[in-house]
Amino acid sequence: MNEIVNPVISETLAPQVGASVNPMQIVIGVASYIWVIGIVLMLCYGAVSYILLRRKVRVSVKGEENLYFCDDVDSPFILGVIFPRIYLPSGMSGEALAHVLAHERAHLHRLDHIWKPIGFLLLSVYWFNPLLWIAYALLCRDIEAACDERVIKTMDTEAKKDYSRTLLACSLHRRRIMA
């Protein structure tokens, strides 16, 4: 009985060589490797950008509290997640300095130095989704608009004009989106 049944079962139920691989398994395997490579590239880009920016501002001069002046920066920004610092161009003073400080401190109060890296981390994980690229760009734009609204909330019309001129002068030097 064993000699009759076993060969019949092995011939009819055994899978054919090469027929057992589902083509979707190959596609999913390749796509997952591409996805992980994209994540690594995005995170490396963020890390290299951060390191280059830190190197650029290492010769800055400390002002009050967490305020630093640097000759090598063209526009003000905040750098750091745990210990955020405000970096300003060295030539900035007077009313322009007051407007920029109000704007940057609004960023600190709103914890934008934490939210923006979280957004970049999400973008890095879901880099293949075009909606996330749009969402990240809108996040960056909305962060800036919310800080502007916070600052100008108590200003009169003339002060709003001065504030707008100051921000326009600062934004002319920006060439790329910094994560």
Side-chain angles (χ1 to χ4, degrees):
M1 185 74 166
N2 191 21
E3 292 174 4
I4 297 172
V5 173
N6 279 343
V8 171
I9 291 175
S10 65
E11 288 176 13
T12 57
L13 297 178
Q16 298 294 326
V17 177
S20 66
V21 177
N22 185 349
M24 280 308 288
Q25 288 177 325
I26 296 171
V27 171
I28 290 174
V30 170
S32 64
Y33 283 119
I34 292 171
W35 178 52
V36 170
I37 289 170
I39 292 172
V40 169
L41 288 175
M42 288 288 291
L43 293 176
C44 286
Y45 170 77
V48 168
S49 296
Y50 180 78
I51 290 168
L52 291 175
L53 194 55
R54 290 288 293 184
R55 186 176 295 161
K56 189 175 187 178
V57 298
R58 72 175 169 216
V59 294
S60 58
V61 176
K62 185 172 178 24
E64 60 186 45
E65 296 177 22
N66 61 345
L67 183 63
Y68 291 82
F69 294 95
C70 185
D71 291 334
D72 294 336
V73 298
D74 296 327
S75 61
F77 61 91
I78 295 175
L79 185 64
V81 176
I82 298 172
F83 300 109
R85 296 177 175 178
I86 300 172
Y87 289 93
L88 301 172
S90 294
M92 193 170 284
S93 62
E95 190 174 281
L97 178 64
H99 290 313
V100 168
L101 278 179
H103 179 87
E104 297 302 328
R105 287 186 174 139
H107 278 301
L108 290 176
H109 187 266
R110 292 177 30 81
L111 302 177
D112 292 337
H113 61 283
I114 296 171
W115 290 113
K116 198 165 182 181
I118 289 172
F120 184 76
L121 188 61
L122 285 171
L123 179 65
S124 297
V125 172
Y126 299 104
W127 60 268
F128 54 88
N129 189 342
L131 292 178
L132 227 28
W133 286 92
I134 294 168
Y136 184 72
L138 292 175
L139 170 74
C140 295
R141 189 189 73 179
D142 290 346
I143 283 173
E144 294 301 323
C147 287
D148 292 337
E149 286 180 32
R150 183 182 180 99
V151 172
I152 66 171
K153 189 186 315 183
T154 59
M155 291 182 174
D156 64 346
T157 306
E158 195 59 39
K160 288 178 185 178
K161 288 179 184 178
D162 292 337
Y163 178 77
S164 298
R165 279 189 220 104
T166 300
L167 288 186
L168 183 61
C170 290
S171 68
L172 289 177
H173 301 290
R174 293 188 184 210
R175 292 187 197 114
R176 61 179 187 220
I177 298 174
M178 294 191 314

